[in-house]
Amino acid sequence: MSYRHDIVSSDPAPRRIDYKRELNPAQYQAVTTTDGPVLVIAGAGSGKTRTLVYRLAYLVDQGVDPGAILLLTFTRKAASEMLTRAAELLNRPLTQVMGGTFHSVCYHWLRHYGALLGHPEGFTVMDRSDQEHLLAMIKDQLGLKGLPGPFPRKETLAQIMSGMVNKGLTLEGLLARDFPQFLEQRRHLKNMAAAYQEEKARLHLMDYDDLLLEGRRLLSEHEDVRRRLSDRYRYIMVDEYQDTNRLQAELVQLLAFTHQNVMAVGDDCQSIYSFRGANFRNIMDFPALFPGVRIIKLEENYRSTQPILDLANAVIAGAREKYTKCLFSRQPDGLRPRLYKAGTENEQSRLIVAQVKQMHEQGVPLRQMAVLFRAAFHSFDLEIELVRAGLPFMKFGGFKFMESAHIKDLLSYLKVVANPRDSMSWQRLLTLVPGVGRGTAAKFTDQIKEGFTLDKALAWLKGRKPAGLKDLADVLDMTKDKSQTLMSKLNLALSHYEPLMQTRFDDYPKRLRDLEHLLTITARYSELRSFLNDLTLEPPASLADVTRPTHDYLTLSTIHSAKGLEWEAVFIIWAAEGRFPAFFALEKEEEEEEERRLMYVAVTRAKRHLAVIFPSLSYNRSLGMTFNSPSRFIADLPRSLLEPWRVEVEE
């Protein structure tokens, strides 16, 4: 539902706000420019939310009816917080302001005007689990369960249906871009998509994406409604405009039909969510959609020291297309960001551990430190070192290393070789084999007693059906060979597991990258048991209780999950070509550009301390050990921006 703010003031006297004194010049200009289209390019840490809050207050102060204001945000919470702050500023209730997400506002309209679109008796909105359930039913009805080859599970089917809407792609275009493993099933998926639309219409159901589609149809096909809503909402404000998709941008344009009083606030340099459907072109093309737009840039940063901002400015200066701006701070002094070229990934991890310990001893809470990375698997080795060092951490974006099913599956090959009486690992391993159920696995584990050996296990497997058991036994036989290196053993296991993984997980290309990275970690181990022990050590028990306000932990996060957050100290790891930017992102110019924006976002999370690190050596499954060069986003920057960093690491 859309959010209408309702707060009762204890003091009826409205507060007089000195806008000029309480805002910087650019913020003041953005707040007081009320008529016509306005694009506010809000640099990182520049007080974007403060500007929106004060503009809400200013409009009401100028006599604008609160019911004529529409605030569009990406979360209900964001709208609620802004309206609460504006009401507190004014010291008066703002009961009539309409604020909320695009989806909730469209829902509000459709409840009033749904009959015009063929919904005279109303409709029900499905949440994601309802949507997945409906897709699973349709899959069964169409007889698609027993198809040869991989077919998307219900969760992935929902992603595919949503992706077509949010990214404005055909089914084939979406599959080619994001789900190539399912291209061979495109005919069946096309039938599913058609059946899904028919079933929703028959049952008067809508998913979240339908709210946007039907909202656009309402405004496009019914000019009288469009005029009525446009007249009602005379002042439109859109937060995080760089994250809008094509549909959302169209809704804004349609809603400004009778006026052009639209303020879009965002930062083109922080447009990093194309995988969700966010369209970078929306913010770049805003001046073309709204001729005569006033562009106001918020460049004063309230978060970081100037040396960190100098690096951020230099990183984004290489962008091919952008709104040129230069972040500056009134904190001119500060440490230069540090650049370190580690020898290996493990040295990179130990550098982080040593530096985190040192800063913690100097009084920086763990909560004020973060390690950021391009992909979730980049932190796997670091997680091992943090557990070994007893440093509590929380990971955001992707699974923690040892919580991943595919990691556990692959390690079970090595675990049964290291300990043939590990019945839990045998259970996991055997049930991976097609045709083997829990019953067969239980018969096998029933014989695990004193004197049970790997050779006895392999002999039992080779004499049983299905044939996959003999294949498994052959792989384990080769894996137990003591002349094999640990990396070779894991490679053998991966060769056997890879085709099984393809039938088990819809996102197996991504999971395969995780497993290939696991091979890198084995390079520093010569002995199987110590490797397994390090991987399966439990993290500190206190990690389970992160709700206590006194709890202190280091943050590990993908950069996508870190946007909007800030820390005293930030470490950016794996800043190497092929990892950041990722190799797959270098095939298209727009994807490489988004990678650059990701680096900008990562840099601008730091307040006072920033380190950029990459290992000079890493393992590639196809090429073996390879040399890494620094990320192109930092390789050509003036050396004055980055200080070479040295720190003692514990062996």
Side-chain angles (χ1 to χ4, degrees):
M1 290 287 293
S2 54
Y3 179 83
R4 287 181 178 277
H5 179 72
D6 190 3
I7 184 170
V8 179
S9 171
S10 58
D11 182 355
R15 175 179 174 241
R16 294 187 62 81
I17 304 168
D18 187 342
Y19 292 92
K20 206 159 199 173
R21 185 177 66 80
E22 296 184 28
L23 300 165
N24 70 36
Q27 290 172 339
Y28 179 76
Q29 185 184 10
V31 164
T32 56
T33 304
T34 56
D35 294 323
V38 181
L39 178 60
V40 178
I41 302 298
S46 63
K48 167 182 71 71
T49 301
R50 181 180 179 83
T51 302
L52 282 165
V53 166
Y54 272 79
R55 189 174 197 262
L56 279 166
Y58 185 80
L59 286 170
V60 175
D61 256 353
Q62 295 303 301
V64 172
D65 177 1
I69 302 172
L70 174 63
L71 172 65
L72 291 166
T73 62
F74 274 83
T75 65
R76 188 176 183 273
K77 181 182 176 186
S80 171
E81 288 178 352
M82 287 185 208
L83 289 166
T84 297
R85 286 174 58 181
E88 288 171 349
L89 264 183
L90 291 165
N91 201 25
R92 58 164 285 184
L94 294 178
T95 55
Q96 298 304 310
V97 174
M98 174 69 79
T101 65
F102 283 89
H103 295 83
S104 65
V105 170
C106 285
Y107 174 84
H108 181 76
W109 297 340
L110 294 171
R111 278 297 184 198
H112 282 69
Y113 302 107
L116 297 173
L117 301 177
H119 308 292
E121 298 172 4
F123 56 90
T124 301
V125 180
M126 297 183 289
D127 62 19
R128 181 52 75 99
S129 65
D130 293 333
Q131 182 187 15
E132 291 170 1
H133 181 67
L134 180 60
L135 287 165
M137 286 174 52
I138 293 169
K139 181 178 172 181
D140 287 347
Q141 290 167 6
L142 295 178
L144 301 177
K145 238 180 175 179
L147 287 174
F151 195 85
R153 298 175 193 273
K154 61 182 181 180
E155 299 85 0
T156 307
L157 285 169
Q159 288 179 36
I160 290 170
M161 300 303 154
S162 183
M164 287 189 287
V165 175
N166 288 302
K167 299 179 183 180
L169 295 171
T170 63
L171 174 64
E172 195 147 322
L174 180 74
L175 293 177
R177 174 179 145 166
D178 296 338
F179 302 94
Q181 65 269 36
F182 301 124
L183 269 168
E184 63 188 70
Q185 305 287 7
R186 55 187 173 274
R187 180 172 63 86
H188 298 300
L189 288 169
K190 191 172 184 180
N191 292 337
M192 268 213 74
Y196 177 56
Q197 296 302 329
E198 290 169 9
E199 197 68 358
K200 284 190 296 181
R202 185 178 74 83
L203 299 172
H204 295 285
L205 296 173
M206 288 191 200
D207 58 35
Y208 289 135
D209 302 311
D210 291 325
L211 294 173
L212 298 184
L213 287 168
E214 291 293 86
R216 180 183 63 177
R217 188 158 76 92
L218 176 69
L219 297 181
S220 300
E221 296 179 3
H222 297 276
E223 184 177 324
D224 57 330
V225 175
R226 181 165 82 246
R227 184 178 296 279
R228 194 177 311 157
L229 289 173
S230 184
D231 282 340
R232 179 178 179 182
Y233 298 116
R234 300 292 299 176
Y235 294 92
I236 302 168
M237 290 187 282
V238 189
D239 188 25
E240 303 284 12
Y241 192 77
Q242 79 282 347
D243 293 337
T244 54
N245 62 26
R246 176 183 52 85
L247 261 175
Q248 290 161 333
E250 288 179 22
L251 284 167
V252 173
Q253 189 179 15
L254 287 165
L255 202 54
F257 177 52
T258 62
H259 57 79
Q260 296 287 290
N261 300 333
V262 176
M263 173 185 271
V265 182
D267 185 2
D268 54 301
C269 299
Q270 296 187 72
S271 178
I272 60 173
Y273 293 119
S274 64
F275 68 95
R276 293 182 190 164
N279 191 337
F280 176 70
R281 295 258 41 100
N282 287 349
I283 195 165
M284 299 311 298
D285 294 343
F286 191 87
L289 291 176
F290 293 94
V293 64
R294 292 192 62 176
I295 299 175
I296 300 168
K297 299 174 184 177
L298 305 185
E299 297 172 294
E300 182 172 352
N301 177 284
Y302 294 92
R303 175 187 300 151
S304 309
T305 59
Q306 192 60 48
I308 291 172
L309 298 179
D310 289 342
L311 179 62
N313 289 331
V315 166
I316 208 62
R320 292 181 178 87
E321 190 174 9
K322 61 185 179 296
Y323 289 100
T324 302
K325 61 180 178 296
C326 185
L327 296 179
F328 68 92
S329 169
R330 298 192 187 187
Q331 306 176 65
D333 300 324
L335 298 171
R336 274 193 300 163
R338 295 160 295 185
L339 174 66
Y340 192 86
K341 176 181 176 181
T344 62
E345 179 181 20
N346 186 242
E347 185 178 326
Q348 173 182 255
S349 300
R350 288 184 290 123
L351 282 169
I352 299 293
V353 169
Q355 190 67 1
V356 166
K357 281 183 173 180
Q358 182 182 327
M359 294 185 74
H360 193 230
E361 288 166 1
Q362 293 169 351
V364 180
L366 291 178
R367 268 187 183 273
Q368 285 300 318
M369 292 184 266
V371 182
L372 305 183
F373 32 85
R374 171 64 184 84
F377 67 85
H378 289 171
S379 72
F380 285 174
D381 187 79
L382 176 59
E383 290 173 49
I384 297 170
E385 289 300 324
L386 289 170
V387 170
R388 180 183 281 175
L391 286 170
F393 66 90
M394 288 293 289
K395 183 173 181 179
F396 301 88
F399 289 110
K400 276 166 65 172
F401 181 36
M402 286 307 299
E403 290 173 356
S404 308
H406 53 299
I407 299 288
K408 290 181 176 180
D409 287 347
L410 187 62
L411 290 178
S412 64
Y413 288 82
L414 300 187
K415 286 184 174 183
V416 298
V417 169
N419 176 16
R421 295 171 64 189
D422 183 348
S423 60
M424 289 179 61
S425 293
W426 275 117
Q427 281 274 352
R428 187 175 199 103
L429 190 55
L430 292 174
T431 52
L432 291 174
V433 177
V436 175
R438 293 186 180 276
T440 302
K443 284 180 187 176
F444 175 85
T445 55
D446 283 347
Q447 62 183 316
I448 296 179
K449 299 180 180 69
E450 203 68 44
F452 184 79
T453 65
L454 185 59
D455 286 337
K456 286 181 181 178
L458 300 184
W460 191 92
L461 293 175
K462 287 177 180 178
R464 297 292 186 280
K465 291 183 179 179
L469 288 174
K470 182 182 183 304
D471 295 337
L472 174 60
D474 289 340
V475 169
L476 294 175
D477 210 2
M478 290 186 282
T479 305
K480 72 173 184 164
D481 184 350
K482 292 183 178 177
S483 66
Q484 297 268 11
T485 65
L486 183 53
M487 188 179 286
S488 299
K489 291 175 190 283
L490 201 62
N491 240 326
L492 281 168
L494 182 53
S495 298
H496 183 265
Y497 178 60
E498 188 174 344
L500 302 177
M501 180 178 64
Q502 292 182 16
T503 63
R504 192 168 181 214
F505 300 109
D506 286 349
D507 58 348
Y508 67 82
K510 174 181 172 293
R511 292 178 188 256
L512 181 59
R513 289 198 294 273
D514 290 355
L515 297 176
E516 288 176 340
H517 191 77
L518 179 57
L519 291 170
T520 304
I521 296 174
T522 65
R524 61 186 170 94
Y525 290 89
S526 57
E527 202 268 316
L528 176 56
R529 285 184 184 277
S530 61
F531 170 67
L532 292 173
N533 286 340
D534 275 2
L535 295 192
T536 52
L537 279 172
E538 288 297 321
S542 61
L543 276 183
D545 184 11
V546 298
T547 57
R548 291 182 300 163
T550 56
H551 186 76
D552 200 21
Y553 59 83
L554 176 70
T555 295
L556 308 187
S557 178
T558 60
I559 299 164
H560 286 104
S561 296
K563 185 174 173 289
L565 303 176
E566 59 185 40
W567 295 271
E568 280 291 310
V570 168
F571 305 89
I572 303 171
I573 61 172
W574 274 110
E577 281 292 287
R579 299 298 183 104
F580 192 3
F583 276 131
F584 66 80
L586 300 179
E587 297 171 5
K588 295 181 180 176
E589 183 178 298
E590 63 268 26
E591 292 186 9
E592 181 185 337
E593 287 290 278
E594 184 160 322
E595 294 283 299
R596 180 180 292 279
R597 297 194 292 270
L598 267 173
M599 180 65 83
Y600 171 85
V601 168
V603 167
T604 53
R605 298 312 92 199
K607 294 181 181 179
R608 300 184 62 78
H609 304 274
L610 175 66
V612 183
I613 309 170
F614 72 98
S616 57
L617 275 175
S618 61
Y619 178 78
N620 180 290
R621 192 180 176 199
S622 307
L623 305 172
M625 294 303 291
T626 58
F627 287 98
N628 296 319
S629 56
S631 167
R632 64 187 59 194
F633 305 138
I634 60 171
D636 299 327
L637 298 182
R639 291 299 90 184
S640 60
L641 294 176
L642 284 156
E643 178 183 353
W645 178 35
R646 293 289 182 271
V647 65
E648 296 296 321
V649 293
E650 297 175 5
E651 290 298 333

